[in-house]
Amino acid sequence: MLSVGRLAVSLALAGSVFAGPVQNPHIVLPPSARGHRDTVQQIFTESYSAYKQFAFGHDDLSPLSQGFSDGRNGWGATIIDAMSTMHIMGMDDLFQEAVNFSSKIDFSKSQTRDKVSVFETTIRYLGGLLSAFELSDQKFPVLLEKAKEVADKMAFAWVGSNDIPFGFLDFSTNTPNFGRTSNIAEAGTLALEWETLSKHTGNQTYANLALKALSHIANLPAPLPGLAAQGINPATGSFVGGYITWGGGSDSYFEYLIKHARLSNTDDNLFADTWHTAVDSSIKNLLRTSTVGNHLYLADLDDSRNIVHVGSHLACFHGGNWLLGGRLLNNNTIVRIALDLVDGCWNTYAGDATGIGPEVFAYISSDGDFTGDVPPNADQLAFYNEHGYYITAPDYILRPEVLESNFYAYRVTGDPKYLDRAASAVDSFNKFLKTPTGFAGINDVNDVNTSKIDDTESFWFAEVLKYLYLTFDDPNHISLDNFVFNTEAHPFQAPRAKHVYGTPTGGIKHPTKPFSLKKGPPLPAISPNAKLPQPIKVPPQL
Ligand SMILES: *[C@@H]1O[C@H](CO)[C@@H](O)[C@H](O)[C@H]1NC(C)=O
Ligand SMILES: *[C@@H]1O[C@H](CO)[C@@H](O)[C@H](O)[C@H]1NC(C)=O
Ligand SMILES: *[C@@H]1O[C@H](CO)[C@@H](O)[C@H](O)[C@H]1NC(C)=O
Ligand SMILES: *[C@@H]1O[C@H](CO)[C@@H](O)[C@H](O)[C@H]1NC(C)=O
């Protein structure tokens, strides 16, 4: 608690436009943290042993059937995705074994019949290899060679003078999937990995490819200032539709705007300014408070400019990302709202019978409960009246975002309540996800007798267990002031922070011309009351 007070003082004293340190420099880890950290490492060991026993060399362990699956082109996704975590946990033998495995991957073709996702391959394989290369002090050049090999293949996704890469590629013929539209998450979540590859190879082409996609999206006239639409057509470079969300399909584009600014220390303010504009627009248009419990959420906006009162596990990275950006911009308004968003997402864990949060949830605020779908049924309404959210997709597939934001909240504030939350999640994982051979997702987070899901996603190793471990570890280990995490939680070494990120006088941009869709009428300018759905008939008990 003392450390929170100190942070408040240091935030108040800062009072200038200069970027603050991201982390509270005065965190005192309580003695109990060590035991929790060891428990997390034990979960990693059990999960990875099962993977080695039943699935080594394949992408995912199937913990229930004690087999494997190859949804990531069969190059051993779990091994590559787990490497940076192994290094951070000091598991040298496993790390060395993974380096050996990496050196033999054949990236010349997909090992399955699937096309290759440029986004997934970038964040898991390219990010995993490069982070492992850096964390091991560049002692294993083969990691960089393999990173270059897979990126050279992916570079075929940029066709002609297109800024936006096609999302999927046939590695046997180097031909993109021309018929498929992409989204801003797929096209805008490449910068950290590709610029890190340029840094170590000296070939600037990699960074240029990723940055032309990111800048292109940031420069397109958006449905709301800074808030790019979700869909994008790689062939034309135009948005498809006007759906706005911080959730899947858009999420890590917003994440990388500020992370690219930080990792590169670029003097081009486009990225930090667009990020701030997106956050500013979100505060003005998308923030909603639940009528029960006053929880803070970020709504979506659909193509018809209806507010959609939903939240998701994926979107819950926003609290952590706003904390990072709020500290870099030294903007306490953003930091405070971010901490409330972190609380809102944590509440979706705390309210469930398992203590684990759902894939998708919804809520009611003073302007209604329009979810773009169906109104809550009686059970959902009863649950909402107790908890301030209701569950619309009850599965948990080992996603990290809520605990990722919780990690940022701990490192930024030092408030021990975030340690308690992480410890509670670890207990729930041991209680509800554990199988005799590894850890599995669950079909219903609100049922203590839930059935399990026969898959251990590689991000369980890359993200969930790394963020939990680091929450309980020495805060100087992988400090947020020295590293930038890619969206798969692979840390990249960052230079010393600049004094200022973005235009010092406030880089919030306002639209220069009205946004219009290619087909259909121009969209009206939004006002807080524009075209909002009719409030639902609120039952008497509310
Ligand atoms: C990795 O490969 C090297 C060289 O072939 C070998 O000496 C070492 O034992 C291997 N390590 C592991 C953990 O497999
Ligand atoms: C840099 O990388 C690009 C993309 O793979 C490649 O086409 C180009 O030949 C490389 N340039 C050099 C100088 O190696
Ligand atoms: C901080 O960000 C908020 C939200 O965008 C904005 O309204 C405010 O002007 C910013 N404060 C400073 C000091 O730039
Ligand atoms: C869960 O299963 C146990 C054992 O079968 C049973 O005793 C318990 O009532 C069940 N709990 C719920 C909430 O269904």
Side-chain angles (χ1 to χ4, degrees), residues 189-256:
T189 312
L190 312 167
L192 303 187
E193 299 81 359
W194 290 66
E195 69 195 333
T196 300
L197 183 60
S198 284
K199 174 175 153 184
H200 294 299
T201 59
N203 183 343
Q204 208 50 41
T205 303
Y206 303 115
N208 292 346
L209 288 173
L211 289 176
K212 74 175 180 178
L214 188 60
S215 323
H216 180 104
I217 300 168
N219 279 320
L220 275 185
L224 285 178
L227 289 170
Q230 186 178 42
I232 192 159
N233 182 343
T236 63
S238 307
F239 285 136
V240 178
Y243 197 89
I244 293 174
T245 181
W246 282 74
S250 296
D251 43 16
S252 41
Y253 156 72
F254 297 115
E255 177 184 352
Y256 273 30

Side-chain angles (χ1 to χ4, degrees), residues 8 45 89 137 150 182 216 245 275 403 443 525:
T45 302
M89 291 181 172
D137 292 327
V150 71
S182 191
H216 180 104
T245 181
W275 182 84
L403 295 167
N443 284 307

Side-chain angles (χ1 to χ4, degrees), residues 498-520:
K498 294 208 305 181
H499 288 309
V500 180
Y501 288 90
T503 307
T505 50
I508 297 171
K509 287 210 229 56
H510 301 286
T512 47
K513 51 179 177 179
F515 175 78
S516 64
L517 292 169
K518 267 235 148 105
K519 290 173 196 163

Side-chain angles (χ1 to χ4, degrees), residues 204-537:
Q204 208 50 41
T205 303
Y206 303 115
N208 292 346
L209 288 173
L211 289 176
K212 74 175 180 178
L214 188 60
S215 323
H216 180 104
I217 300 168
N219 279 320
L220 275 185
L224 285 178
L227 289 170
Q230 186 178 42
I232 192 159
N233 182 343
T236 63
S238 307
F239 285 136
V240 178
Y243 197 89
I244 293 174
T245 181
W246 282 74
S250 296
D251 43 16
S252 41
Y253 156 72
F254 297 115
E255 177 184 352
Y256 273 30
L257 287 172
I258 192 65
K259 286 185 168 179
H260 161 63
R262 172 65 187 93
L263 185 66
S264 67
N265 276 348
T266 173
D267 290 326
D268 183 349
N269 287 334
L270 173 70
F271 307 98
D273 286 352
T274 304
W275 182 84
H276 192 182
T277 305
V279 169
D280 192 70
S281 268
S282 299
I283 293 171
K284 289 184 179 129
N285 298 291
L286 304 180
L287 274 187
R288 290 294 183 277
T289 305
S290 59
T291 53
V292 170
N294 286 316
H295 301 292
L296 196 67
Y297 302 114
L298 264 190
D300 288 359
L301 195 72
D302 73 13
D303 295 86
S304 321
R305 302 213 149 205
N306 291 310
I307 285 286
V308 188
H309 297 77
V310 295
S312 64
H313 206 293
L314 280 169
C316 280
F317 83 97
H318 48 35
N321 185 246
W322 288 30
L323 283 171
L324 175 69
R327 294 300 296 135
L328 292 176
L329 270 55
N330 201 10
N331 184 309
N332 295 340
T333 305
I334 296 174
V335 169
R336 274 192 220 101
I337 294 172
L339 290 172
D340 288 343
L341 288 173
V342 172
D343 284 347
C345 284
W346 174 253
N347 183 54
T348 70
Y349 272 52
D352 303 334
T354 60
I356 300 171
E359 179 74 1
V360 189
F361 58 91
Y363 45 88
I364 300 169
S365 59
S366 58
D367 59 346
D369 78 337
F370 180 77
T371 64
D373 197 346
V374 283
N377 63 34
D379 284 349
Q380 288 172 320
L381 208 50
F383 187 91
Y384 174 76
N385 285 331
E386 208 175 323
H387 300 291
Y389 68 98
Y390 59 93
I391 298 169
T392 56
D395 51 322
Y396 173 68
I397 62 163
L398 311 179
R399 287 201 193 282
E401 295 78 13
V402 173
L403 295 167
E404 168 184 349
S405 286
N406 187 69
F407 162 72
Y408 278 86
Y410 182 63
R411 289 284 184 93
V412 167
T413 67
D415 188 333
K417 82 177 179 190
Y418 301 111
L419 293 178
D420 296 341
R421 290 174 180 180
S424 152
V426 171
D427 280 350
S428 293
F429 290 167
N430 264 324
K431 232 182 257 166
F432 299 107
L433 308 183
K434 200 174 155 87
T435 80
T437 48
F439 285 69
I442 51 179
N443 284 307
D444 187 353
V445 293
N446 201 37
D447 176 4
V448 295
N449 292 326
T450 175
S451 56
K452 294 193 173 71
I453 300 170
D454 194 15
D455 185 35
T456 310
E457 269 278 4
S458 69
F459 48 65
W460 172 249
F461 300 94
E463 303 193 66
V464 177
L465 299 179
K466 182 186 290 113
Y467 283 127
L468 279 172
Y469 181 90
L470 287 175
T471 302
F472 296 119
D473 200 15
D474 176 354
N476 297 312
H477 189 199
I478 318 289
S479 163
L480 292 170
D481 290 301
N482 301 329
F483 288 88
V484 176
F485 288 85
N486 89 336
T487 197
E488 191 79 358
H490 297 302
F492 292 132
Q493 282 158 357
R496 217 185 137 84
K498 294 208 305 181
H499 288 309
V500 180
Y501 288 90
T503 307
T505 50
I508 297 171
K509 287 210 229 56
H510 301 286
T512 47
K513 51 179 177 179
F515 175 78
S516 64
L517 292 169
K518 267 235 148 105
K519 290 173 196 163
L523 292 170
I526 191 160
S527 79
N529 298 318
K531 288 189 78 177
L532 286 173
Q534 294 304 307
I536 56 145
K537 291 188 192 72

Side-chain angles (χ1 to χ4, degrees), residues 31-42:
S32 58
R34 182 60 187 262
H36 294 306
R37 198 193 72 174
D38 292 347
T39 306
V40 175
Q41 184 153 6
Q42 181 59 30

